[in-house]
Amino acid sequence: MATQIYVAIRDAIREGRLAGGARLPSWNDLAAQLGVARGTVRAAYERLSDEQLTEALGPGGTLVAQRVTPPSVQMQDTPRHGLRPDLFRDFERPPLLFQMGVPAQDAFPFSLWSRLMARHARAAAAAPVCYPDPRGEAALRDAICAYLAIARGVRCRPEQVLVTAGFTGALGLALRALPLRNAIAWGEDPGFPLTRDALTIAGLAINSIPVDCEGLDVCEGVRKAPGAALAIVTPGQQAPLGMTMSLARRHALLQWASDAGAWIMEDDYLGELQLNGRAAPALASLDREGRVIYAGTFSKTISPSLRLGFLVVPPPLAARFAETAGTLAPAPAPATQRAVAAFIAEGHFLRHLRRMKRLYRARRDALTNCLAAASGGAFDVATGGLGVSLTLPPDADDREIAARALAAGFAPTPLSPWHAHTVERQGLLLGATNLSEPRLTEDCARFTKIVTGQ
């Protein structure tokens, strides 16, 4: 048995699965884990030490030797991750200039947030050892109900709210809980690529419905797929173009859902962060027949690193969604939930949103003006959401331009992957949340040269 333990650890070290400096379990702990005598583990460790694969530090434990490096192995070229490279680059890195979907790094109230996190981490550590509510912490669900009533016109009870791991967690929970096997879904075109991917993975057939200046074209959806079981829409600010769905279209969409017995999932990804005037109430605020499932997220308003989102479901679905959450998709860690609940309940959240609206509007306007001046009319600049979009010439390749820009330190998002079928236009999406205004003129001039190939 000592030889088996030695060989397993030796191979893990040589193959790089145990890095230099990694701490091995104590003799007692590993012996108890494997159900062998302490002397058996000791013999294996002594052999590893004799071959200079590990270092025995006495009370400091046994560490993998730092000088041991795995041999170079010829491996197939594989992507660093299986996610869309046009949306995801390096994880856990600060946001780059023009990156979409991330809040302002320099304007977040870090001191306040650190105090809240520390307070609720201590409280969670001292809490009774028990399973948390898979629907989410009661304090956060209460706070979400209060916020939605004030800011989004949505009336709901905490029993209807489920806390999720971001919007993707909310979407995954909905796709599991709803009776959608082999169903047809409407998706916006253009629309969020990951939503389209999720529907495909879940086995739904997607009918891509075009959007225009009023949002989703409901008449076209009824013409193409009247019997669809689900529509996923971004009525507050269409992703990625930014228009708000008109009241007439909202009523038409709700009427279709009622007639077809279909569900509408409202992706309110920016919530109250409407930069031009007051945000329109949520589509769910008009729902009188329980057809709308409302999804929100704190990724754009607080931080994507929280991985916190939420669903509000009609009362008849609350038990079904709670059961699904409890068995397949429970809420994230309670400490973070409680910190967000305090951030909302103590009034910090709405104050933060108010400050961010002013900041983002000023930065978006500055970016629009600088790009227009730097390009001299070489491409159209339009505002939408928390950034701007550039329409490129028909013969341009927005993916190739985005790759060249990334090499120069910019992170625009190509528009073409947001289209489901025929790409109507080539373009770039530029986030305005993280800008350096003193350098903005210079940055826009450099970026324009990259786009125009100068």
Side-chain angles (χ1 to χ4, degrees):
M1 189 64 184
T3 300
Q4 291 177 284
I5 296 171
Y6 155 76
V7 169
I9 297 176
R10 180 201 66 188
D11 290 348
I13 294 173
R14 288 180 174 176
E15 293 168 10
R17 290 181 281 118
L18 279 174
R23 184 180 299 276
L24 299 182
S26 70
W27 299 346
N28 289 335
D29 289 344
L30 189 56
Q33 180 73 24
L34 298 179
V36 299
R38 177 176 178 271
T40 302
V41 177
R42 177 180 178 178
Y45 276 28
E46 287 178 345
R47 187 171 175 185
L48 291 167
S49 180
D50 290 343
E51 295 185 13
Q52 298 184 341
L53 294 171
T54 62
E55 294 179 284
L57 304 180
T62 302
L63 306 183
V64 176
Q66 287 284 2
R67 61 180 174 274
V68 175
T69 57
S72 58
V73 179
Q74 204 66 14
M75 299 185 69
Q76 267 187 323
D77 287 337
T78 55
R80 294 184 63 185
H81 52 68
L83 301 175
R84 286 177 170 266
D86 42 39
L87 290 178
F88 298 101
R89 300 176 183 91
D90 291 333
F91 296 107
E92 300 179 359
R93 296 286 181 89
L96 295 175
L97 189 60
F98 302 153
Q99 186 170 332
M100 294 285 293
V102 287
Q105 181 85 11
D106 61 337
F108 186 72
F110 287 104
S111 297
L112 168 64
W113 181 249
S114 297
R115 290 196 299 273
L116 291 174
M117 283 292 289
R119 182 206 311 169
H120 291 284
R122 288 194 298 270
V129 179
C130 61
Y131 285 98
D133 190 330
R135 298 171 300 172
E137 293 295 295
L140 180 55
R141 290 187 286 124
D142 287 341
I144 288 170
C145 289
Y147 162 72
L148 292 177
I150 294 169
R152 308 301 294 127
V154 176
R155 298 178 61 184
C156 60
R157 298 180 57 81
E159 293 79 13
Q160 298 170 246
V161 178
L162 299 104
V163 181
T164 64
F167 169 72
T168 52
L171 179 57
L173 176 57
L175 293 177
R176 289 183 174 105
L178 293 173
L180 296 172
R181 187 181 298 275
N182 301 320
I184 298 172
W186 290 3
E188 295 175 323
D189 193 9
F192 189 39
L194 289 189
T195 296
R196 201 160 55 237
D197 293 347
L199 293 173
T200 301
I201 291 170
L204 279 73
I206 307 171
N207 257 270
S208 299
I209 312 302
V211 300
D212 57 24
C213 61
E214 293 188 70
L216 183 82
D217 188 339
V218 179
C219 290
E220 182 65 11
V222 172
R223 187 189 69 79
K224 292 179 67 174
L230 175 70
I232 299 186
V233 294
T234 52
Q237 298 183 65
Q238 201 276 333
L241 302 181
M243 74 282 289
T244 299
M245 182 181 282
S246 68
L247 184 60
R249 290 275 177 88
R250 292 173 182 236
H251 283 304
L253 184 60
L254 290 168
Q255 187 62 54
W256 163 77
S258 176
D259 294 343
W263 305 104
I264 301 166
M265 187 164 182
E266 178 179 9
D267 176 5
D268 198 26
Y269 67 105
L270 285 180
E272 182 66 7
L273 272 180
Q274 169 61 257
L275 303 189
N276 296 325
R278 175 72 175 170
L283 174 67
S285 69
L286 300 174
D287 183 24
R288 298 293 178 265
E289 298 190 27
R291 308 313 305 178
V292 177
I293 296 159
Y294 177 92
T297 176
F298 296 107
S299 293
K300 311 298 186 296
T301 53
I302 302 179
S303 172
S305 64
L306 297 178
R307 298 304 298 158
L308 272 186
F310 57 90
L311 283 176
V312 179
V313 302
L317 294 178
R320 172 63 175 166
F321 271 72
E323 179 185 18
T324 306
T327 54
L328 294 173
T336 303
Q337 292 186 57
R338 292 171 185 171
V340 173
F343 193 64
I344 298 172
E346 295 174 13
H348 307 301
F349 185 53
L350 286 177
R351 282 195 296 273
H352 177 64
L353 290 182
R354 188 169 64 249
R355 288 194 299 268
M356 292 305 98
K357 281 186 183 183
R358 290 196 299 266
L359 176 67
Y360 293 161
R361 184 165 54 245
R363 289 184 174 179
R364 192 180 70 176
D365 291 347
L367 176 59
T368 303
N369 294 334
C370 281
L371 285 172
S375 67
F379 35 72
D380 295 331
V381 183
T383 60
L386 303 184
V388 303
S389 61
L390 307 183
T391 300
L392 301 176
D395 59 345
D397 183 340
D398 57 6
R399 296 182 195 235
E400 189 273 333
I401 293 173
R404 282 194 280 118
L406 182 61
F410 302 99
T413 299
L415 180 60
S416 59
W418 293 66
H419 289 273
H421 299 301
T422 303
V423 178
E424 296 181 4
R425 62 177 184 172
Q426 297 281 323
L428 296 172
L429 304 170
L430 279 65
T433 54
N434 287 282
L435 301 178
S436 173
E437 296 193 44
R439 298 200 313 267
L440 187 56
T441 300
E442 176 188 346
D443 288 335
C444 286
R446 287 199 303 121
F447 179 73
T448 299
K449 289 181 180 180
I450 293 171
V451 175
T452 56
Q454 297 178 4

